[in-house]
Amino acid sequence: MRQIILASASPRRKELIKQLIGDDFLVYASSYEESPCPGIHPEELLLKHSVEKARDVAKHLNSGLVISADTSVLFNGKLMGKPKSSEEAEKILKLLSGQQFLVITGLTVLDLDRRTEISELESTTVWMDKISNEQISAYVRTGEPLDKAGAFAVQGKGATFVEKIEGDFFNVIGLPLFRLGKILQKAGVSIFSEDLS
Protein backbone atom coordinates (compact mmCIF):
# COMPACT_ATOMS: atom_id res chain seq x y z
CA MET A 1 0.00 0.00 0.00
CA ARG A 2 1.17 3.52 -0.73
CA GLN A 3 2.25 5.62 2.23
CA ILE A 4 -0.68 7.43 3.84
CA ILE A 5 -0.12 10.48 6.03
CA LEU A 6 -2.88 11.80 8.28
CA ALA A 7 -2.46 15.55 8.67
CA SER A 8 -4.21 15.69 12.04
CA ALA A 9 -3.45 15.21 15.71
CA SER A 10 -7.07 14.21 16.40
CA PRO A 11 -7.27 10.84 18.18
CA ARG A 12 -10.75 10.37 16.71
CA ARG A 13 -9.55 10.78 13.13
CA LYS A 14 -6.64 8.47 13.88
CA GLU A 15 -9.04 5.75 15.05
CA LEU A 16 -11.31 6.23 12.03
CA ILE A 17 -8.51 6.00 9.48
CA LYS A 18 -7.19 2.95 11.30
CA GLN A 19 -10.64 1.40 10.88
CA LEU A 20 -10.37 2.01 7.13
CA ILE A 21 -6.76 1.05 6.32
CA GLY A 22 -5.24 -0.52 9.43
CA ASP A 23 -2.08 0.62 11.21
CA ASP A 24 0.01 1.37 8.11
CA PHE A 25 -0.11 5.18 8.14
CA LEU A 26 1.80 8.10 9.62
CA VAL A 27 0.45 10.97 11.68
CA TYR A 28 1.93 14.38 10.96
CA ALA A 29 0.03 17.22 12.63
CA SER A 30 -0.32 20.38 10.58
CA SER A 31 1.00 23.66 11.95
CA TYR A 32 -1.50 25.62 9.83
CA GLU A 33 -3.47 28.01 12.00
CA GLU A 34 -7.14 28.30 11.14
CA SER A 35 -8.43 31.84 11.09
CA PRO A 36 -11.78 33.38 10.23
CA CYS A 37 -12.03 34.77 6.70
CA PRO A 38 -14.84 37.35 6.54
CA GLY A 39 -16.86 37.14 3.36
CA ILE A 40 -16.09 33.47 2.67
CA HIS A 41 -19.04 31.07 2.74
CA PRO A 42 -18.74 28.65 5.71
CA GLU A 43 -18.47 25.58 3.47
CA GLU A 44 -15.74 27.21 1.38
CA LEU A 45 -13.89 28.07 4.59
CA LEU A 46 -13.90 24.41 5.74
CA LEU A 47 -12.56 23.36 2.33
CA LYS A 48 -9.88 26.05 2.50
CA HIS A 49 -8.78 24.91 5.97
CA SER A 50 -8.55 21.26 4.89
CA VAL A 51 -6.54 22.17 1.78
CA GLU A 52 -4.12 24.38 3.73
CA LYS A 53 -3.59 21.69 6.39
CA ALA A 54 -2.74 19.13 3.70
CA ARG A 55 -0.39 21.52 1.87
CA ASP A 56 1.35 22.49 5.12
CA VAL A 57 2.18 18.84 5.88
CA ALA A 58 3.03 18.05 2.24
CA LYS A 59 5.85 20.64 2.35
CA HIS A 60 7.78 18.26 4.62
CA LEU A 61 7.32 15.14 2.47
CA ASN A 62 8.48 13.78 -0.86
CA SER A 63 5.84 11.15 -1.59
CA GLY A 64 2.61 9.58 -0.35
CA LEU A 65 -1.00 10.59 0.15
CA VAL A 66 -1.77 13.33 2.66
CA ILE A 67 -5.26 13.26 4.18
CA SER A 68 -6.65 16.25 6.03
CA ALA A 69 -10.06 17.33 7.25
CA ASP A 70 -11.79 20.24 8.91
CA THR A 71 -15.14 19.58 10.60
CA SER A 72 -17.59 22.03 12.09
CA VAL A 73 -21.26 22.44 12.96
CA LEU A 74 -23.26 24.82 10.76
CA PHE A 75 -26.31 26.34 12.45
CA ASN A 76 -28.28 29.37 11.27
CA GLY A 77 -25.56 30.15 8.73
CA LYS A 78 -22.77 30.23 11.33
CA LEU A 79 -20.00 27.75 12.05
CA MET A 80 -19.83 26.42 15.60
CA GLY A 81 -16.28 25.29 16.18
CA LYS A 82 -14.63 23.89 19.30
CA PRO A 83 -15.54 25.79 22.48
CA LYS A 84 -12.64 27.53 24.18
CA SER A 85 -14.19 27.36 27.66
CA SER A 86 -16.89 25.61 29.68
CA GLU A 87 -19.02 28.73 29.41
CA GLU A 88 -18.77 28.74 25.63
CA ALA A 89 -19.59 25.00 25.53
CA GLU A 90 -22.77 25.62 27.53
CA LYS A 91 -23.74 28.50 25.26
CA ILE A 92 -23.31 26.36 22.11
CA LEU A 93 -25.28 23.43 23.58
CA LYS A 94 -28.14 25.74 24.59
CA LEU A 95 -28.26 27.04 21.02
CA LEU A 96 -28.29 23.53 19.51
CA SER A 97 -30.75 22.06 22.03
CA GLY A 98 -33.91 20.86 20.26
CA GLN A 99 -32.56 21.95 16.87
CA GLN A 100 -31.69 20.48 13.49
CA PHE A 101 -28.24 21.42 12.16
CA LEU A 102 -25.50 20.31 9.80
CA VAL A 103 -22.11 18.78 10.53
CA ILE A 104 -19.87 19.62 7.57
CA THR A 105 -16.37 18.38 6.80
CA GLY A 106 -13.95 19.74 4.26
CA LEU A 107 -11.88 16.73 3.17
CA THR A 108 -8.64 16.90 1.18
CA VAL A 109 -6.47 14.12 -0.23
CA LEU A 110 -3.19 15.41 -1.67
CA ASP A 111 -1.26 12.92 -3.81
CA LEU A 112 2.40 13.92 -3.81
CA ASP A 113 3.39 11.27 -6.36
CA ARG A 114 0.76 12.12 -8.97
CA ARG A 115 0.71 15.81 -8.04
CA THR A 116 -3.06 15.84 -7.67
CA GLU A 117 -5.32 17.28 -5.02
CA ILE A 118 -8.93 16.27 -4.38
CA SER A 119 -11.07 18.35 -2.03
CA GLU A 120 -14.70 17.59 -1.30
CA LEU A 121 -17.38 18.47 1.23
CA GLU A 122 -19.45 16.02 3.26
CA SER A 123 -22.61 17.15 5.02
CA THR A 124 -24.63 15.25 7.64
CA THR A 125 -27.91 16.41 9.21
CA VAL A 126 -28.25 16.01 12.97
CA TRP A 127 -31.35 16.38 15.12
CA MET A 128 -30.57 17.15 18.75
CA ASP A 129 -33.04 16.43 21.54
CA LYS A 130 -34.20 19.21 23.85
CA ILE A 131 -31.61 19.28 26.65
CA SER A 132 -32.24 20.83 30.07
CA ASN A 133 -29.84 23.36 31.54
CA GLU A 134 -29.02 20.83 34.26
CA GLN A 135 -28.11 18.17 31.67
CA ILE A 136 -25.96 20.66 29.77
CA SER A 137 -24.08 21.71 32.92
CA ALA A 138 -23.52 18.08 33.95
CA TYR A 139 -22.29 17.17 30.46
CA VAL A 140 -19.90 20.12 30.31
CA ARG A 141 -18.47 19.12 33.70
CA THR A 142 -17.37 15.78 32.18
CA GLY A 143 -14.97 17.77 29.99
CA GLU A 144 -16.06 15.87 26.87
CA PRO A 145 -17.42 18.88 24.92
CA LEU A 146 -14.29 21.02 25.22
CA ASP A 147 -12.39 19.83 22.16
CA LYS A 148 -15.36 18.91 19.98
CA ALA A 149 -16.92 20.92 17.17
CA GLY A 150 -20.41 21.88 18.29
CA ALA A 151 -19.48 21.00 21.90
CA PHE A 152 -20.67 17.39 21.75
CA ALA A 153 -19.26 13.95 20.95
CA VAL A 154 -21.65 11.58 19.21
CA GLN A 155 -19.20 8.72 19.93
CA GLY A 156 -19.27 9.54 23.65
CA LYS A 157 -21.80 10.64 26.26
CA GLY A 158 -23.11 13.20 23.78
CA ALA A 159 -24.78 10.33 21.91
CA THR A 160 -27.61 10.51 24.46
CA PHE A 161 -28.56 13.96 23.09
CA VAL A 162 -28.62 12.99 19.40
CA GLU A 163 -32.12 11.99 18.35
CA LYS A 164 -31.43 11.26 14.69
CA ILE A 165 -28.70 11.46 12.05
CA GLU A 166 -29.18 11.59 8.30
CA GLY A 167 -26.02 10.97 6.31
CA ASP A 168 -22.54 9.68 7.16
CA PHE A 169 -22.33 8.96 10.90
CA PHE A 170 -18.52 9.00 10.79
CA ASN A 171 -18.63 12.53 9.38
CA VAL A 172 -20.15 13.66 12.70
CA ILE A 173 -17.11 12.21 14.47
CA GLY A 174 -14.78 14.08 12.11
CA LEU A 175 -13.87 11.94 9.08
CA PRO A 176 -16.40 10.88 6.40
CA LEU A 177 -15.25 7.33 5.71
CA PHE A 178 -17.54 6.64 2.77
CA ARG A 179 -16.31 9.67 0.81
CA LEU A 180 -12.70 9.10 1.87
CA GLY A 181 -12.89 5.48 0.72
CA LYS A 182 -14.11 6.61 -2.72
CA ILE A 183 -11.30 9.16 -3.03
CA LEU A 184 -8.67 6.60 -2.00
CA GLN A 185 -10.00 4.18 -4.62
CA LYS A 186 -9.58 6.91 -7.26
CA ALA A 187 -6.01 7.36 -6.01
CA GLY A 188 -5.32 3.66 -6.52
CA VAL A 189 -5.35 2.67 -2.86
CA SER A 190 -7.13 -0.57 -1.97
CA ILE A 191 -8.56 -0.53 1.54
CA PHE A 192 -8.78 -4.33 1.52
CA SER A 193 -5.61 -6.23 2.38
CA GLU A 194 -6.65 -9.37 0.50
CA ASP A 195 -8.18 -9.96 -2.90
CA LEU A 196 -11.49 -11.60 -2.10
CA SER A 197 -12.37 -12.56 -5.68
Side-chain angles (χ1 to χ4, degrees):
M1 184 185 286
R2 298 173 62 201
Q3 184 64 69
I4 303 244
I5 302 98
L6 176 63
S8 174
S10 162
R12 295 168 296 282
R13 289 197 179 114
K14 185 177 176 182
E15 282 302 309
L16 287 174
I17 205 159
K18 183 178 177 181
Q19 179 177 329
L20 201 63
I21 63 168
D23 292 313
D24 192 18
F25 66 94
L26 302 175
V27 174
Y28 199 125
S30 168
S31 58
Y32 169 74
E33 290 192 19
E34 298 172 15
S35 58
C37 300
I40 292 185
H41 191 277
E43 293 178 339
E44 289 178 36
L45 183 61
L46 292 174
L47 270 182
K48 173 182 164 55
H49 287 333
S50 75
V51 167
E52 294 300 335
K53 286 179 187 178
R55 290 178 181 173
D56 178 68
V57 168
K59 288 187 298 189
H60 307 281
L61 304 164
N62 296 316
S63 66
L65 284 165
V66 179
I67 297 170
S68 66
D70 192 41
T71 302
S72 195
V73 165
L74 182 63
F75 178 64
N76 281 347
K78 290 182 64 178
L79 292 175
M80 307 271 172
K82 298 175 183 177
K84 295 179 175 64
S85 65
S86 296
E87 292 74 24
E88 191 179 347
E90 289 201 19
K91 184 178 175 183
I92 291 172
L93 287 166
K94 284 175 183 175
L95 276 174
L96 298 181
S97 172
Q99 301 295 325
Q100 174 187 334
F101 52 88
L102 296 175
V103 176
I104 301 175
T105 298
L107 177 67
T108 297
V109 177
L110 195 158
D111 190 330
L112 285 158
D113 305 296
R114 299 179 182 178
R115 298 187 180 280
T116 60
E117 189 177 86
I118 299 172
S119 293
E120 297 182 2
L121 281 169
E122 185 66 46
S123 179
T124 303
T125 306
V126 177
W127 285 261
M128 187 170 276
D129 193 14
K130 187 75 178 167
I131 319 168
S132 70
N133 289 343
E134 291 76 16
Q135 285 176 306
I136 288 172
S137 295
Y139 180 50
V140 170
R141 282 196 300 273
T142 69
E144 186 177 274
L146 292 179
D147 68 334
K148 313 294 189 301
F152 75 100
V154 73
Q155 75 280 15
K157 296 179 190 302
T160 59
F161 302 144
V162 176
E163 183 181 342
K164 186 169 68 170
I165 290 174
E166 187 176 278
D168 188 337
F169 168 80
F170 300 105
N171 185 46
V172 184
I173 301 176
L175 194 64
L177 293 187
F178 177 77
R179 189 171 294 272
L180 177 57
K182 293 290 185 187
I183 294 173
L184 290 178
Q185 284 178 335
K186 286 181 194 173
V189 174
S190 173
I191 61 170
F192 302 105
S193 58
E194 294 177 357
D195 183 355
L196 302 179
S197 61

